[in-house]
Amino acid sequence: MLIAGPVAAQDAPTKAQGLAAWDDIYAVTSHPRCTNCHVGAGGIPMWNGLTYGADAVHGMRVQAGESRVGAETMPCRTCHIGAASANETPHAPPMIDDAWRLPPAELAWLGKSSEDICKQLRDPETNDGFAMDELATHLETSAFVAWGFDPGGGRSIPPVGLDEMVIALNLWAAAGTPCASDP
């Protein structure tokens, strides 16, 4: 009787393959569709690199604050209704089947280098507590993530699709989550 054992070391992706997968991940995490909400402790969402002309902070002086939902100033739900929608109207507030909010402050990507985000995402202390398999599941199940890859209304989308992003994340994880500066 044969018993399934661990995958042989030679079957694991190489560091080079992991870094190539990382390039796809960084292409998404550095895209304005993602960085505009992954803004850090200041809680001020952006409208950079989109169809609004010059880079700008989110209109109406929106600040998500420490709550990440705008409770301190104007709640996100004032405009972003928590309901499923095709979001086909250009420049209308997008809607998803979840309560609109910004990601945790420790997941800031706006203005960060590939190296910074690489180290951030592989560490549960700075990636909102996710193990790599949990992070892949988050990508596959989050209404926010799904909207980011299919925002409708002529909005820009990341250069790598959601399915490809999950594949890249899993490959990067299987390769040991390498960053370019790793020995």
Side-chain angles (χ1 to χ4, degrees):
M1 177 188 325
L2 295 174
I3 298 174
V7 175
Q10 66 268 20
D11 293 337
T14 66
K15 179 182 178 183
Q17 291 169 316
L19 290 172
W22 173 255
D23 288 343
D24 285 346
I25 296 166
Y26 183 66
V28 171
T29 59
S30 63
H31 187 273
R33 180 61 55 218
C34 300
T35 61
N36 285 338
C37 292
H38 283 264
V39 294
I44 300 173
M46 304 299 291
W47 282 350
N48 293 340
L50 304 175
T51 57
Y52 302 101
D55 290 350
V57 297
H58 190 294
M60 290 72 69
R61 296 185 176 200
V62 168
Q63 296 182 17
E66 195 173 315
S67 70
R68 309 308 282 174
V69 299
E72 300 83 354
T73 55
M74 178 173 61
C76 302
R77 70 177 179 269
T78 302
C79 300
H80 296 280
I81 308 302
S85 172
N87 293 301
E88 291 305 322
T89 305
H91 307 295
M95 297 180 281
I96 60 169
D97 194 15
D98 199 348
W100 205 266
R101 62 189 173 279
L102 291 183
E106 65 268 12
L107 287 175
W109 298 339
L110 182 64
K112 288 193 173 183
S113 70
S114 175
E115 187 70 17
D116 290 341
I117 295 173
C118 184
K119 289 178 179 178
Q120 175 190 39
L121 278 184
R122 70 182 182 186
D123 182 357
E125 293 290 321
T126 57
N127 77 7
D128 203 24
F130 288 111
M132 287 300 111
D133 61 329
E134 295 168 333
L135 191 53
T137 299
H138 169 67
L139 292 178
E140 295 170 318
T141 61
S142 167
F144 289 102
V145 173
W147 176 84
F149 284 92
D150 187 19
R155 296 175 182 95
S156 65
I157 58 171
V160 174
L162 179 55
D163 291 341
E164 293 83 9
M165 177 69 168
V166 172
I167 291 168
L169 181 68
N170 286 326
L171 194 144
W172 179 61
T177 64
C179 296
S181 67
D182 293 347

